Amino acid sequence: EVQLVETGGATVRPGGSLRLTCAASGFIFSNYEMSWIRQAPGKGPEWIAALNRRGDLEYYAQSVRGRSTISRDNSKNMMYLQLNNLKPEDTALYYCARPGPGKKIGTHTYDNWGPGTQVTVSS
């Protein structure tokens, strides 16, 4: 069974930083490009970052580019998202997602994602 579990969310002040973690199991993690997606209250899901299978090609949405770093450790089946200079508009539920036939978000479709981890940015 495919499982993705996100952790690391918290309430932080504007300008703060967080490192989100995604633990993957039930599939060959290194075979998949992986993404981070977020959903703010009252809004649809937004793709924000992706990383290729080897971890050497990074892709970012404009909304987080320059403030975020996506990375992975295939030996541990883990993916990470470092978020810096957080803004109130970054408040959202953050998910890691595996591409596959399923829900379309942006230009790709995803067949598995975790329960999410909440990031709240507030002074």
Side-chain angles (χ1 to χ4, degrees):
E1 179 188 2
V2 173
Q3 281 198 322
L4 296 167
V5 179
E6 305 89 347
T7 56
T11 297
V12 298
R13 295 187 183 276
S17 297
L18 284 173
R19 188 191 196 208
L20 307 184
T21 297
C22 171
S25 61
F27 65 103
I28 302 174
F29 181 68
S30 59
N31 281 0
Y32 290 83
E33 174 180 295
M34 295 291 293
S35 287
W36 285 97
I37 290 164
R38 69 184 181 185
Q39 186 161 13
K43 296 187 177 181
E46 175 194 14
W47 169 85
I48 56 171
L51 187 61
N52 71 337
R53 291 177 293 177
R54 291 189 308 272
D56 57 0
L57 285 177
E58 303 166 32
Y59 307 90
Y60 298 98
Q62 185 62 40
S63 57
V64 301
R65 189 173 298 138
R67 303 188 294 122
S68 300
T69 303
I70 187 173
S71 60
R72 66 193 294 165
D73 185 339
N74 287 341
S75 69
K76 297 180 180 179
N77 291 349
M78 301 284 278
M79 182 173 68
Y80 309 97
L81 183 68
Q82 177 71 37
L83 299 167
N84 299 321
N85 190 22
L86 282 160
K87 305 175 181 180
E89 52 263 41
D90 293 318
T91 295
L93 196 58
Y94 284 70
Y95 303 90
C96 61
R98 189 186 80 164
K103 184 176 179 65
K104 186 173 182 182
I105 300 170
T107 59
H108 292 74
T109 59
Y110 300 91
D111 63 3
N112 282 277
W113 51 90
T117 187
Q118 179 67 40
V119 173
T120 302
V121 185
S122 174
S123 56

